[in-house]
Amino acid sequence: MSDFQAIKEECCEANIQLPKTGLVDITFGNVSVSDPARRVFAIKPSGVDYDDLTPDHMVVLDYEGKVLEGDLRPSSDTPTHRCLFLNFEGIRSVVHTHSRTAVSFAQAARDIPCMGTTHADYFYGDVPASRDMTAEEIAAGYEWETGEVIVKTFAERGINPLEIPAVLVRNHGPFAWGPSGAKAVETALALEVVAEMALKALQLNPEAPLIAQHLLDKHYLRKHGANAYYGQK
Amino acid sequence: MSDFQAIKEECCEANIQLPKTGLVDITFGNVSVSDPARRVFAIKPSGVDYDDLTPDHMVVLDYEGKVLEGDLRPSSDTPTHRCLFLNFEGIRSVVHTHSRTAVSFAQAARDIPCMGTTHADYFYGDVPASRDMTAEEIAAGYEWETGEVIVKTFAERGINPLEIPAVLVRNHGPFAWGPSGAKAVETALALEVVAEMALKALQLNPEAPLIAQHLLDKHYLRKHGANAYYGQK
Amino acid sequence: MSDFQAIKEECCEANIQLPKTGLVDITFGNVSVSDPARRVFAIKPSGVDYDDLTPDHMVVLDYEGKVLEGDLRPSSDTPTHRCLFLNFEGIRSVVHTHSRTAVSFAQAARDIPCMGTTHADYFYGDVPASRDMTAEEIAAGYEWETGEVIVKTFAERGINPLEIPAVLVRNHGPFAWGPSGAKAVETALALEVVAEMALKALQLNPEAPLIAQHLLDKHYLRKHGANAYYGQK
Amino acid sequence: MSDFQAIKEECCEANIQLPKTGLVDITFGNVSVSDPARRVFAIKPSGVDYDDLTPDHMVVLDYEGKVLEGDLRPSSDTPTHRCLFLNFEGIRSVVHTHSRTAVSFAQAARDIPCMGTTHADYFYGDVPASRDMTAEEIAAGYEWETGEVIVKTFAERGINPLEIPAVLVRNHGPFAWGPSGAKAVETALALEVVAEMALKALQLNPEAPLIAQHLLDKHYLRKHGANAYYGQK
């Protein structure tokens, strides 16, 4: 029995959920789950079919990027996940997909505007599209620098990653995160849903307004924070 | 055996139908079913997976909002349902979803225009988008005031809620209703279908006309009212 | 055993195929199958779930509209089917659906333009949208007059219904037909597919050209007519 | 046991995968698999349902177009496949579909622009739409000339068919290819996915830029070529 059995199982289960959500085609997606106290995380191996995954396939790395367990090569996006675990305190799982409508916003270089309560239930404002990466950043270490650009986007725009737990990497696609593998996958799904709603709303009315601040506050805060009253407990 | 067994079973069955229609993602939807003679209704508990629902999970409340039966917290949207039962005489079930295209119209602040017979078979005219809620309304009691805004929308525009059994709450999403849980869910599905048809028709022809009044009358009245001749009986 | 067993079975089977194609929501669709030599046809009963259909549910009528067999009320669209059997010689089955993209063209009052070979494989040119029905026509006998407007549309525009086996009834939806129940359902599916392709192509290029006449001829004629060489035999 | 058992089995399996990907409606698609050393290929028979296919149904032809094995008529598109095998050295499988969004680009006479990393993972630049075929080409031998137009499109635009393994035949639809039946089907699926992403991105921002060259290089080359590091090995 592995020392890291719990995060390997949670990570495997979350990866298996991905194609069931309809978010991923082929092998375009991966989930990691961390144990922040021990500064380690488990992640999907690169290019393996979701149908074949077992907890033993998960690769375990420490926060410095050293492989601690696993025979397979970890996802090529591993340095991006690692960068987010190091910089976004309080998250335990990162999900990357190429879900189609969220990718479209990333390719259009547009934030997903917060136009309704579905969005407000998950994200406390617009989901940001990051800036273009430079040739230097890509040459220096593409996947790590992808994480750096995400972190800088949140810092420069003053966004709290616990309040807006997703980003669109320009010309690439979405990353989402959360307190568990299951919740991070749910957030990645919510992101695709609100992207589709925003796309269609903009087609119906290119001048459609953002949600009013008081309605955004109400919906976000009835599900999150000290006075939340949605769900059981 | 509960005193409210019949409405709990009907309510449970209607909630279970919701994800099968493709109308709801995650837990974005709920159905209530009332017994108007006794002034009570059953409703889905908040944030529980549809797969796990049994009639015993349903929460029963009276029309004043007091819980009569059930161990779980009722849907956070319960006051909206209650407001509609109190104000729209003749309805027995209310359905709330975040179905994607209907939400898009709500976010675009547009009515769903009645452009064809599919629409006319269910709704005797445009399905209205309500006005924005004020900060005061949201502070006063968000979910109850959501119901009030729906009721006012129908009153101000002179719409009969039995003839147009659905509404788009601005920046939020659709509510639909009907004489039974099954029929209210069917109406919520029809609403999403006609929203998609209207979106695409407007893409093909932004100046596409509404359905002619005589065709609207014909289709609505062959399914509804004293001289209906659709279906068996 | 019914005298009309063969057409009842073919009709039932074709109706059961309808929801499997994704063409119909709820009960928005029906198929009829005729025996032209005996001037009779079988049709789906009105408002019955597809899952429950058996051949014995089919209603058999003669070409004058008299019910010969069946305990249920036939589809409310029966007079439209009957009108097409009487006027379009050589067809044996009629399918009516509210498939979403084809309906959108009907609501937008636009023909489905023949933009590619998928279309040309089934339809030898644009699929026409009929004109609006007048209040007089609707009052005189809505469903029969719907058939009359289809027949007039083909006559006025000089279209051969065997070469373009479908129509979009304005503000309503598609009818398709063919030599058998299975083939008519396949044509109704092809219609929805080409409607979606045309909608998206027009979004990408509002000035996109029609298919060239020589390519239309080639594709239509390699599947149809004396020199066809597609399929086995 | 056939002399060509291996390619017949690989070809059958790839054809059976086609409808599971959602790429094909009805019988709109076919796959061939070649044995380049022996200059032979297996291909789907024309107009046969995917559900019914077994390896014995596959038709085997040599590169001159002579049938070597099989009782059924080969796909009507066989000469197009043969032309690609003769001209694009290094490919072993060709897939033709009428997948809906890729067809839309073909009908709109637009290349699929390379707007993001999903695209760059499969195609090293825009996927070209071929020019219109002339009446003379169609009369001379439509399916063979379709192949010729594809080959000329790549030659005239200086595109390497191993780097951009797909094309949109104008007013018709996509062909994709690859080193195996499974990989060619995967590429045909990726093509449809990136077509949908590009369509939606252009709806959100008609002026959306192409992917930067350094990001295109990075993504394409991390999956392809001597220094690839995606997947296992």
Side-chain angles (χ1 to χ4, degrees):
Chain A
M1 181 72 80
S2 159
D3 261 13
F4 308 110
Q5 194 66 22
I7 56 172
K8 286 166 70 174
E9 287 182 5
E10 185 179 345
C11 182
C12 181
E13 176 58 25
N15 275 291
I16 289 171
Q17 287 307 312
L18 270 192
K20 296 183 186 171
T21 60
L23 293 177
V24 301
D25 296 289
I26 310 175
T27 58
F28 306 163
N30 45 68
V31 187
S32 62
V33 173
S34 82
D35 180 342
R38 300 168 73 188
R39 296 176 62 83
V40 297
F41 64 101
I43 193 165
K44 181 180 176 291
S46 184
V48 175
D49 275 358
Y50 300 94
D51 287 346
D52 300 333
L53 290 179
T54 68
D56 282 348
H57 289 124
M58 300 301 112
V59 186
V60 179
L61 300 99
D62 65 22
Y63 275 25
E64 283 67 51
K66 190 179 143 204
V67 173
L68 303 180
E69 231 182 71
D71 299 326
L72 296 169
R73 189 183 287 188
S75 165
S76 52
D77 297 312
T78 298
T80 315
H81 292 246
R82 187 166 70 86
C83 185
L84 296 182
F85 285 129
L86 280 168
N87 285 280
F88 286 171
E89 204 172 341
I91 71 173
R92 268 196 67 244
S93 178
V94 174
V95 175
H96 174 46
T97 80
H98 286 209
S99 70
R100 300 185 189 186
T101 319
V103 165
S104 301
F105 275 87
Q107 294 188 164
R110 288 183 71 158
D111 296 354
I112 303 178
C114 184
M115 302 180 76
T117 61
T118 319
H119 188 121
D121 283 340
Y122 284 84
F123 309 102
Y124 195 37
D126 300 350
V127 175
S130 70
R131 67 158 166 77
D132 261 334
M133 293 180 73
T134 64
E136 290 68 34
E137 287 167 340
I138 290 173
Y142 171 58
E143 290 85 0
W144 173 264
E145 293 295 330
T146 298
E148 289 281 353
V149 166
I150 295 170
V151 171
K152 284 176 198 161
T153 296
F154 277 65
E156 285 164 14
R157 296 175 57 169
I159 301 171
N160 179 341
L162 299 184
E163 291 182 347
I164 299 188
V167 72
L168 306 172
V169 177
R170 185 82 166 269
N171 295 115
H172 187 155
F175 285 80
W177 47 84
S180 68
K183 189 68 188 172
V185 170
E186 180 183 326
T187 299
L189 174 55
L191 186 72
E192 178 65 11
V193 170
V194 301
E196 180 180 330
M197 289 171 174
L199 169 64
K200 288 177 175 173
L202 291 168
Q203 290 174 332
L204 286 164
N205 181 359
E207 308 302 322
L210 294 182
I211 195 171
Q213 185 65 41
H214 46 263
L215 184 55
L216 170 57
D217 288 346
K218 182 67 192 178
H219 260 264
Y220 186 76
L221 298 173
R222 80 174 187 172
K223 285 189 84 168
H224 304 271
N227 297 311
Y229 59 94
Y230 181 93
Q232 304 301 325
K233 279 184 300 175
Chain B
M1 182 70 81
S2 159
D3 261 14
F4 309 110
Q5 195 65 21
I7 58 172
K8 285 166 71 174
E9 287 182 5
E10 184 178 346
C11 183
C12 181
E13 176 58 25
N15 275 290
I16 288 171
Q17 287 307 312
L18 269 191
K20 296 183 186 171
T21 60
L23 292 177
V24 301
D25 297 289
I26 309 175
T27 58
F28 305 163
N30 45 68
V31 188
S32 62
V33 173
S34 81
D35 180 341
R38 299 167 74 188
R39 295 175 62 84
V40 297
F41 65 101
I43 193 164
K44 180 179 176 290
S46 184
V48 175
D49 276 356
Y50 300 94
D51 288 346
D52 300 333
L53 291 179
T54 67
D56 281 349
H57 289 124
M58 300 302 112
V59 186
V60 178
L61 301 99
D62 65 22
Y63 275 25
E64 284 67 50
K66 191 177 143 205
V67 172
L68 302 181
E69 231 181 70
D71 299 326
L72 296 168
R73 188 184 287 186
S75 166
S76 52
D77 297 311
T78 298
T80 315
H81 291 245
R82 187 165 70 85
C83 185
L84 297 182
F85 286 129
L86 280 167
N87 285 280
F88 287 171
E89 203 171 342
I91 71 174
R92 268 196 66 244
S93 176
V94 174
V95 176
H96 175 45
T97 80
H98 287 209
S99 70
R100 300 183 189 187
T101 318
V103 165
S104 302
F105 275 87
Q107 294 187 165
R110 287 182 71 158
D111 296 355
I112 303 178
C114 184
M115 302 178 76
T117 61
T118 320
H119 188 122
D121 282 340
Y122 283 84
F123 309 104
Y124 194 38
D126 299 350
V127 175
S130 69
R131 66 159 165 77
D132 261 334
M133 293 180 73
T134 65
E136 291 68 34
E137 287 167 339
I138 290 173
Y142 171 57
E143 292 85 1
W144 173 263
E145 293 296 330
T146 297
E148 288 282 352
V149 166
I150 295 170
V151 171
K152 284 175 198 161
T153 296
F154 277 66
E156 285 164 13
R157 295 176 57 171
I159 301 171
N160 179 342
L162 299 185
E163 291 182 346
I164 298 188
V167 73
L168 306 172
V169 177
R170 185 80 167 270
N171 295 116
H172 188 156
F175 285 80
W177 47 83
S180 68
K183 189 67 189 171
V185 170
E186 180 184 326
T187 299
L189 174 55
L191 186 72
E192 177 66 10
V193 170
V194 301
E196 180 181 331
M197 289 170 174
L199 169 64
K200 289 178 174 172
L202 291 168
Q203 290 173 333
L204 286 164
N205 181 0
E207 309 302 323
L210 295 181
I211 195 171
Q213 185 66 40
H214 47 262
L215 185 54
L216 170 56
D217 288 345
K218 181 66 193 178
H219 260 263
Y220 186 77
L221 298 173
R222 81 175 186 172
K223 284 190 84 168
H224 304 271
N227 298 311
Y229 59 94
Y230 181 92
Q232 305 301 326
K233 278 186 301 178
Chain C
M1 181 70 80
S2 159
D3 260 14
F4 308 110
Q5 194 65 20
I7 58 171
K8 285 166 73 175
E9 288 182 4
E10 184 178 347
C11 183
C12 180
E13 176 57 25
N15 275 290
I16 289 171
Q17 286 308 312
L18 269 192
K20 296 182 186 171
T21 60
L23 293 177
V24 300
D25 297 290
I26 310 174
T27 58
F28 305 163
N30 45 68
V31 187
S32 61
V33 173
S34 81
D35 180 341
R38 299 167 74 188
R39 298 175 62 82
V40 297
F41 64 102
I43 193 165
K44 180 179 175 291
S46 184
V48 175
D49 276 357
Y50 300 95
D51 287 347
D52 301 333
L53 291 179
T54 66
D56 281 348
H57 289 123
M58 300 302 112
V59 186
V60 179
L61 301 98
D62 65 22
Y63 274 25
E64 284 66 52
K66 190 178 145 205
V67 172
L68 303 181
E69 229 180 72
D71 299 325
L72 297 168
R73 189 184 287 188
S75 166
S76 52
D77 297 310
T78 298
T80 315
H81 291 246
R82 185 165 72 85
C83 184
L84 297 183
F85 285 128
L86 280 169
N87 285 280
F88 286 171
E89 202 171 343
I91 71 174
R92 268 197 65 244
S93 177
V94 174
V95 176
H96 174 45
T97 80
H98 287 210
S99 70
R100 298 182 191 189
T101 319
V103 164
S104 302
F105 275 86
Q107 293 187 165
R110 287 182 71 159
D111 295 355
I112 303 178
C114 184
M115 302 179 75
T117 60
T118 320
H119 188 121
D121 282 340
Y122 283 85
F123 308 103
Y124 195 39
D126 300 349
V127 175
S130 70
R131 66 159 165 79
D132 260 335
M133 294 179 72
T134 65
E136 290 68 33
E137 287 168 338
I138 290 173
Y142 171 58
E143 292 84 1
W144 173 264
E145 294 296 329
T146 297
E148 289 281 352
V149 165
I150 296 171
V151 171
K152 284 176 197 162
T153 296
F154 277 65
E156 286 164 13
R157 296 177 57 172
I159 301 172
N160 179 342
L162 299 185
E163 291 182 346
I164 299 189
V167 72
L168 306 172
V169 176
R170 185 82 166 270
N171 295 116
H172 187 155
F175 285 79
W177 47 84
S180 67
K183 190 68 188 172
V185 170
E186 181 184 325
T187 299
L189 174 54
L191 186 73
E192 178 65 10
V193 170
V194 300
E196 181 181 331
M197 291 171 174
L199 169 64
K200 291 178 173 173
L202 291 168
Q203 290 173 332
L204 286 164
N205 181 358
E207 309 302 322
L210 295 181
I211 196 171
Q213 185 66 40
H214 47 262
L215 185 54
L216 169 57
D217 289 345
K218 181 67 193 176
H219 261 265
Y220 186 77
L221 298 174
R222 81 174 185 171
K223 284 190 84 167
H224 303 270
N227 298 311
Y229 59 95
Y230 182 91
Q232 305 301 326
K233 280 187 301 179
Chain D
M1 182 72 79
S2 159
D3 261 13
F4 309 109
Q5 194 66 19
I7 56 171
K8 285 166 72 174
E9 287 182 5
E10 184 179 346
C11 182
C12 181
E13 177 57 25
N15 275 291
I16 289 171
Q17 287 307 312
L18 269 192
K20 296 183 186 171
T21 60
L23 293 177
V24 301
D25 297 289
I26 310 174
T27 57
F28 306 163
N30 46 67
V31 188
S32 61
V33 173
S34 81
D35 180 342
R38 298 168 74 188
R39 297 176 62 83
V40 298
F41 64 102
I43 192 163
K44 180 178 176 292
S46 183
V48 175
D49 276 356
Y50 300 95
D51 287 348
D52 300 332
L53 290 179
T54 68
D56 282 349
H57 289 122
M58 300 302 112
V59 186
V60 179
L61 301 97
D62 65 22
Y63 274 26
E64 284 66 51
K66 189 178 145 205
V67 173
L68 303 181
E69 229 180 75
D71 298 326
L72 297 169
R73 189 185 286 188
S75 164
S76 52
D77 297 311
T78 298
T80 314
H81 291 246
R82 186 165 70 86
C83 184
L84 297 182
F85 285 128
L86 279 169
N87 284 281
F88 286 171
E89 202 171 341
I91 71 175
R92 268 197 66 243
S93 177
V94 174
V95 176
H96 174 46
T97 80
H98 287 210
S99 70
R100 299 185 191 187
T101 319
V103 165
S104 302
F105 276 87
Q107 293 187 164
R110 288 183 70 158
D111 295 355
I112 302 177
C114 184
M115 302 180 75
T117 61
T118 320
H119 188 121
D121 283 341
Y122 283 85
F123 309 103
Y124 195 37
D126 300 350
V127 175
S130 69
R131 66 158 166 77
D132 261 335
M133 294 179 71
T134 64
E136 290 69 34
E137 287 168 339
I138 289 174
Y142 171 58
E143 292 85 1
W144 173 264
E145 292 296 329
T146 297
E148 289 281 352
V149 166
I150 295 170
V151 171
K152 284 177 197 160
T153 295
F154 277 65
E156 286 164 13
R157 295 176 57 171
I159 302 171
N160 179 341
L162 299 184
E163 291 182 347
I164 298 188
V167 72
L168 306 172
V169 177
R170 184 83 166 270
N171 295 116
H172 187 156
F175 285 79
W177 48 85
S180 67
K183 190 67 188 173
V185 170
E186 180 184 326
T187 299
L189 174 54
L191 185 72
E192 178 65 10
V193 170
V194 301
E196 180 180 331
M197 290 171 174
L199 169 64
K200 289 177 175 173
L202 291 168
Q203 290 174 331
L204 286 164
N205 181 359
E207 308 302 321
L210 295 183
I211 196 171
Q213 185 67 40
H214 47 263
L215 185 54
L216 170 57
D217 288 346
K218 182 66 192 176
H219 261 264
Y220 186 76
L221 298 174
R222 81 174 187 172
K223 285 190 85 168
H224 304 270
N227 297 311
Y229 60 94
Y230 181 93
Q232 304 300 327
K233 280 185 302 173

